[in-house]
Amino acid sequence: MLLERIYDEDLAQASYLIGCQARGKAVVVDARRDIDVYLELAAANGMTITAVTETHIHADYLSGTRELADRTGAQVHVSDEGGPDWTYGPDFDGAVRMKHGHRIELGNITVEAVHTPGHTPEHLSFLVTDGAQTDEPGFLLTGDFVFVGDLGRPDLLDEAAGGVDTRFQGAKDLFASLRDRFLTLPDYVQVLPAHGSGSACGRSLGSIPSSTVGYERNFSWWAPYLAADDEQGFVDELLSGQPDAHAYFGRMKMQNRIGPAILGEAPELVEYAADRLAAELAAERAILVDTRHHHDVHEGTVPRSLNIPGIAKAASYGAWVYDPETEQRPLVLLSGSRTEAEIMRDHLVRVGIDTVRGFITSLDGLELVRPPLVRPEQLDDIERAMLLDVRNKTEYAAGHLPGAAQLSGGRVLWQRDRLPERGTGPIVTYCQSGVRGSVTASALRREGYDVVELDGSYLGWAAVPGNDPVVA
């Protein structure tokens, strides 16, 4: 048996390729949308991808299930659990719709669907048995059910998908899934989750890639509640302190249920010269993405450009500042090379941003402006309409500037009703160190807001003697 974990550090997301080496057949679970990594892995191991599946309707990234099936001809398998509100749409009419106990056979390998609701009603986990060695399962792909040291949060349907108090039933469903599914497995079964540290799909995910049923049974935070059959205590603990959910999660849920658009082969990116790009920007026919660190951006950037710093978190920050449902103008990336621009484009399509059309390697010859900053010691001297903390609500509760309002960077563009009217004065923004503040500020400036960034952000302000943070 071949079992490979493919991990995306940007979105802290794991997908898996499982193959029978004797028969040369493989299945991919929870594929992302840029699929070359799976094709290359299968080819390197002499395998054909014959099946594609996913654990649930994802909220944090756009699924590559249909993309991979379109490219390979593989059979799609999706959950048919959770009731009519969680049924995949007509674009999945050719898919095998799985109930609890359904099996995908790949030569000597069996992948069995296990209904584990809680994070979402339709959620499946997958028990994997290597028939060449044993007739007992040795691996459990848990998706967003059980993470290393944590559980998939049950409140995302409320936070990002328009649900009303679904978190309470979801938490109870998680308790039952742990009791009736997970804890009935042998301790040796290896646990392979779909996310790691940094994902917003849980509260405190570990950075270790895998665990075992026995380890989680004995050492997870939730184990004592299950051992005592304390459902209410479990629910209360699970629902406390969950981080903000990004607003784009709602778009991911909807598109993943209906069926993400199939991209096919990506077109070649256009390399822009400064004069041509200047004309496109002046005519509002394109948007420049400044990919530099915020310190460089503060030295001068193109007016109304978006700051998405670097490739590493391009999908995460890109989804904060660009909404494909309301903005279709093409993106031009500031990039050191064509290859670098192509990699960044791959990151952006993971969150449904499909409009990258070109790149430019330098800002020379373009009009530049310096985003306004305010030093911490000058903050009280500036007239402002709002002091905005764009960090997570848990960070805000741990310590924030006096008088600051909290609205996380991943929600700002979607909750502008919480911002002052344009023209009523500047909004002063800050985050922890300046990265998220710069990303958010660039999006707000593009929307016509007067924004001043706090130089050094929270850490810079807190380092000034006499500045005492407010703890909520």
Side-chain angles (χ1 to χ4, degrees):
M1 181 177 77
L2 177 71
L3 198 161
E4 292 279 354
R5 175 179 182 259
I6 300 94
Y7 196 68
D8 173 18
E9 295 282 356
D10 189 340
L11 296 167
Q13 181 263 333
S15 50
Y16 296 88
L17 184 144
I18 306 167
C20 174
Q21 292 164 308
R23 300 292 180 87
K25 296 181 178 181
V27 59
V28 175
V29 181
D30 288 335
R32 68 192 193 211
R33 207 157 165 242
D34 53 312
I35 59 171
D36 285 350
V37 62
Y38 311 110
L39 302 176
E40 292 166 3
L41 186 58
N45 287 277
M47 290 186 171
T48 301
I49 297 172
T50 59
V52 191
T53 189
E54 56 193 52
T55 52
H56 64 295
I57 301 171
H58 296 281
D60 56 313
Y61 71 100
L62 211 53
S63 164
T65 293
R66 294 184 70 235
E67 192 77 33
L68 190 53
D70 181 72
R71 189 79 65 88
T72 64
Q75 176 64 58
V76 173
H77 298 71
V78 295
S79 174
D80 196 31
E81 296 282 4
D85 291 340
W86 298 99
T87 301
Y88 282 79
D91 281 349
F92 292 91
D93 280 352
V96 174
R97 296 179 182 259
M98 298 181 290
K99 295 289 189 182
H100 174 76
H102 180 91
R103 294 187 172 192
I104 301 172
E105 305 285 351
L106 299 160
N108 295 323
I109 310 301
T110 301
V111 179
E112 181 180 347
V114 180
H115 186 212
T116 50
H119 176 67
T120 60
E122 83 289 353
H123 193 286
L124 300 175
S125 297
F126 293 108
L127 273 173
V128 181
T129 301
D130 181 1
Q133 301 292 328
T134 176
D135 57 0
E136 297 294 331
F139 308 88
L140 181 68
L141 275 61
T142 52
D144 289 20
F145 168 36
V146 175
F147 300 128
V148 178
D150 203 5
L151 299 170
R153 58 192 294 183
D155 63 323
L156 280 184
L157 304 183
D158 290 347
E159 292 292 311
V164 179
D165 290 340
T166 63
R167 66 189 72 201
F168 302 108
Q169 185 59 51
K172 292 179 179 180
D173 288 344
L174 269 176
F175 187 87
S177 292
L178 288 167
R179 181 191 61 209
D180 301 337
R181 306 289 197 210
F182 188 79
L183 292 177
T184 61
L185 296 171
D187 281 354
Y188 61 76
V189 171
Q190 293 189 42
V191 174
L192 305 173
H195 291 292
S197 179
S199 170
C201 291
R203 181 176 54 191
S204 55
L205 284 69
S207 56
I208 300 171
S210 65
S211 184
T212 65
V213 170
Y215 190 90
E216 298 302 317
R217 185 197 308 275
N218 286 283
F219 302 115
S220 65
W221 69 259
W222 49 263
Y225 294 105
L226 270 294
D229 197 27
D230 181 4
E231 182 185 68
Q232 190 57 54
F234 170 87
V235 170
D236 294 342
E237 175 66 20
L238 177 63
L239 295 180
S240 67
Q242 291 287 357
D244 290 320
H246 305 309
Y248 82 90
F249 281 12
R251 175 169 60 87
M252 298 293 94
K253 273 285 184 187
M254 178 188 68
Q255 292 181 349
N256 281 328
R257 183 184 176 194
I258 295 171
I262 294 174
L263 295 169
E265 294 288 346
E268 183 176 348
L269 294 177
V270 174
E271 182 172 3
Y272 281 81
D275 56 349
R276 180 183 177 189
L277 180 57
E280 294 296 295
L281 295 175
E284 292 286 342
R285 291 193 295 265
I287 299 171
L288 177 72
V289 176
D290 192 330
T291 60
R292 298 174 299 160
H293 190 275
H294 65 283
H295 290 314
D296 296 321
V297 171
H298 291 164
E299 293 299 315
T301 188
V302 171
R304 303 188 71 226
S305 60
L306 296 174
N307 182 209
I308 304 175
I311 292 173
K313 302 296 288 184
S316 302
Y317 291 138
W320 287 19
V321 301
Y322 186 92
D323 180 9
E325 293 187 326
T326 60
E327 179 63 82
Q328 288 79 42
R329 274 171 286 197
L331 298 176
V332 178
L333 308 177
L334 176 61
S335 179
S337 67
R338 178 180 297 277
T339 298
E340 186 178 291
E342 290 170 346
I343 294 171
M344 190 164 185
R345 175 179 61 183
D346 286 347
H347 279 244
L348 291 171
V349 300
R350 295 172 196 173
V351 289
I353 299 175
D354 303 341
T355 51
V356 175
R357 294 293 180 265
F359 69 100
I360 190 167
T361 58
S362 171
L363 297 183
D364 292 345
L366 295 171
E367 175 194 355
L368 302 182
V369 295
R370 296 184 69 163
L373 307 176
V374 59
R375 297 285 303 163
E377 59 270 20
Q378 299 169 331
L379 182 59
D380 291 338
D381 300 329
I382 186 173
E383 293 287 340
R384 60 180 185 257
M386 185 181 202
L387 179 59
L388 180 61
D389 187 327
V390 302
R391 299 176 301 163
N392 199 288
K393 62 187 177 184
T394 55
E395 296 172 282
Y396 176 84
H400 58 269
L401 273 64
Q406 186 272 336
L407 179 57
S408 66
R411 293 186 172 208
V412 164
L413 287 187
W414 288 264
Q415 295 186 348
R416 280 176 272 179
D417 57 327
R418 294 177 56 184
L419 302 177
E421 293 290 331
R422 297 176 184 85
T424 57
I427 299 171
V428 177
T429 63
Y430 73 89
C431 60
Q432 191 75 357
S433 63
V435 177
R436 289 172 288 174
S438 179
V439 171
T440 307
S442 74
L444 288 175
R445 290 189 186 105
R446 178 154 189 90
E447 295 300 320
Y449 289 91
D450 181 7
V451 182
V452 178
E453 295 170 58
L454 178 60
D455 197 11
S457 271
Y458 177 78
L459 292 178
W461 177 88
V464 176
N467 282 350
D468 296 319
V470 177
V471 178

